[in-house]
Amino acid sequence: MRLTRRNLLGAAVFAAIAPSTALAAKPLTIGFSQVGAESEWRTANTASIKDAARKAGVNLKFADAQQRQENQVKAIRSFIAQRVDIIAFSPVVESGWDTVLREAKRANIPVILTDRAVKVSDQSLYVTLLGSDFVEEGRRAAHWLVEHAKKNPNRAYNIVELQGTVGSAPALDRKAGFAEVMKTEPRLKIIRSQTGDFTRAKGKEVMEAFLKSEGKNITVLYAHNDDMAIGAIQAIEEAGFKPGKDILVVSIDGVRGAFEAMLQGKLNVTVECNPLLGPQLMEAAKAVMAGKPVPKRIVVNEGVFPAEVAAKEFPNRKY
Ligand code: GYE
């Protein structure tokens, strides 16, 4: 599909505005609504976007939604009122975007999604989604456990799951991908599952509750992000268990804190989710403005890091 600034505006209007040299001189303005500052991943993502904007000479209007959809809707409306060239945002949850995105479309402002997906009835409400494949990340986390179970026939795999933000694409997809691969090993069982909202504090709090009710029955923690895992590791230690041994800890993101926990033997594996989306976002925005075709989905490349490779990989990590 070719949804571009040029055909959104209509060729006639576009031609009438100004010669292309004048357009080229004007810096591109992007309004970006960020989810919040809930995790190390998010901090790295924000830094990448700000840094890439500066390097690309883009005028970035940045708004932090503090994990609230209503704040994102407000920010998008304000970007429309300010007549930015492009609106980009990382939607905190998947649903509830139709109205505000229709407003952006009516104002002829192209929308680029970064990191998280939306569920909308009309796919033309956004140009492209630039981000990771969260289902695949969930599969990779489960795959590590399936392999672990094959090598440990007498071990129990009673899993507690710390879910991400309720209704968010990464929480839904990481749960689904994990469940899909988990089925291939009947010894893997989820005994409790609750949201920890992607934060350390909530991860710790919910893990404390899990430990209170399930005690030593718990042998695995699957956390939808590293921050919740790190919070939970503290709860596990405070309850007198050894994270990484009594309770295997599997999580997603691959941030510095997770590598540090692996080096201390407290986390078993992290599945990479690359937050450094800034350069690709600027490229996509420029392509849209230039009327070039942009794929509807741009997937980021990423890997899996078990604790055994942590020491070797640590110096290469950029977030
Ligand atoms: O995994 C988590 C953050 O949407 C991929 O959001 C992102 C997730 C990331 O809070 O740490």
Side-chain angles (χ1 to χ4, degrees):
M1 197 203 53
R2 247 178 108 95
L3 177 62
T4 64
R5 177 78 171 165
R6 188 181 289 264
N7 65 26
L8 276 172
L9 283 171
V13 182
F14 197 83
I17 297 173
S20 55
T21 45
L23 274 181
K26 188 179 155 268
L28 175 64
T29 297
I30 301 180
F32 184 78
S33 166
Q34 179 60 292
V35 168
E38 73 284 2
S39 64
E40 267 191 61
W41 189 99
R42 190 65 55 195
T43 306
N45 180 247
T46 293
S48 168
I49 288 164
K50 287 185 174 170
D51 184 56
R54 198 173 33 77
K55 286 188 181 137
V58 164
N59 174 24
L60 184 73
K61 291 179 187 289
F62 183 90
D64 178 336
Q66 299 179 327
Q67 296 242 71
R68 296 169 72 126
Q69 182 171 35
E70 66 205 77
N71 291 344
Q72 291 203 294
V73 171
K74 263 189 222 153
I76 293 169
R77 291 203 166 119
S78 134
F79 294 147
I80 296 172
Q82 294 172 63
R83 305 227 36 88
V84 300
D85 299 308
I86 303 257
I87 291 172
F89 77 116
S90 175
V92 59
V93 291
E94 281 191 341
S95 54
W97 299 104
D98 293 75
T99 308
V100 73
L101 292 186
R102 250 182 256 125
E103 291 167 23
K105 190 176 182 182
R106 236 179 283 131
N108 291 327
I109 302 177
V111 172
I112 298 178
L113 303 176
T114 66
D115 160 33
R116 299 184 181 180
V118 294
K119 280 219 163 67
V120 282
S121 47
D122 174 1
Q123 298 308 310
S124 79
L125 291 176
Y126 67 92
V127 185
T128 183
L129 161 60
L130 161 65
S132 307
D133 182 341
F134 302 137
V135 178
E136 183 55 27
E137 291 168 354
R139 287 191 196 111
R140 288 177 178 174
H143 184 74
W144 185 89
L145 275 172
V146 169
E147 291 304 306
H148 193 280
K150 277 188 199 153
K151 287 182 226 134
N152 296 274
N154 299 318
R155 201 182 196 284
Y157 290 85
N158 297 328
I159 307 166
V160 292
E161 179 182 32
L162 281 170
Q163 296 181 38
T165 301
V166 176
S168 71
L172 295 162
D173 293 353
R174 287 171 183 171
K175 185 168 186 45
F178 187 88
E180 180 194 310
V181 170
M182 197 186 84
K183 276 194 231 130
T184 64
E185 171 54 72
R187 285 161 57 220
L188 266 55
K189 291 183 199 87
I190 294 184
I191 55 169
R192 296 290 298 269
S193 180
Q194 209 177 301
T195 181
D197 212 13
F198 281 132
T199 68
R200 284 187 192 202
K202 276 275 179 63
K204 178 165 190 269
E205 192 185 304
V206 177
M207 190 69 201
E208 278 166 0
F210 286 162
L211 285 160
K212 226 181 207 165
S213 62
E214 300 290 339
K216 61 176 185 329
N217 200 15
I218 303 170
T219 59
V220 180
L221 162 66
Y222 167 44
H224 288 189
N225 82 341
D226 291 337
D227 283 78
M228 291 190 293
I230 291 163
I233 283 172
Q234 233 186 306
I236 294 169
E237 289 182 316
E238 284 171 17
F241 298 107
K242 283 203 166 63
K245 294 184 184 71
D246 303 328
I247 300 180
L248 299 175
V249 183
V250 177
S251 72
I252 299 179
D253 273 354
V255 296
R256 193 167 290 274
F259 275 77
E260 282 161 1
M262 285 197 288
L263 292 172
Q264 294 166 1
K266 296 176 181 178
L267 191 136
N268 300 84
V269 64
T270 185
V271 174
E272 185 179 32
C273 179
N274 186 357
L276 308 179
L277 306 180
Q280 277 175 289
L281 170 60
M282 300 309 143
E283 247 174 65
K286 285 189 172 172
V288 170
M289 288 305 287
K292 293 188 189 141
V294 174
K296 194 79 191 175
R297 182 79 174 88
I298 307 171
V299 181
V300 182
N301 279 337
E302 38 216 19
V304 179
F305 300 104
E308 298 75 61
V309 304
K312 192 172 151 262
E313 282 294 328
F314 192 53
N316 306 327
R317 303 301 295 165
K318 300 224 162 38
Y319 52 92

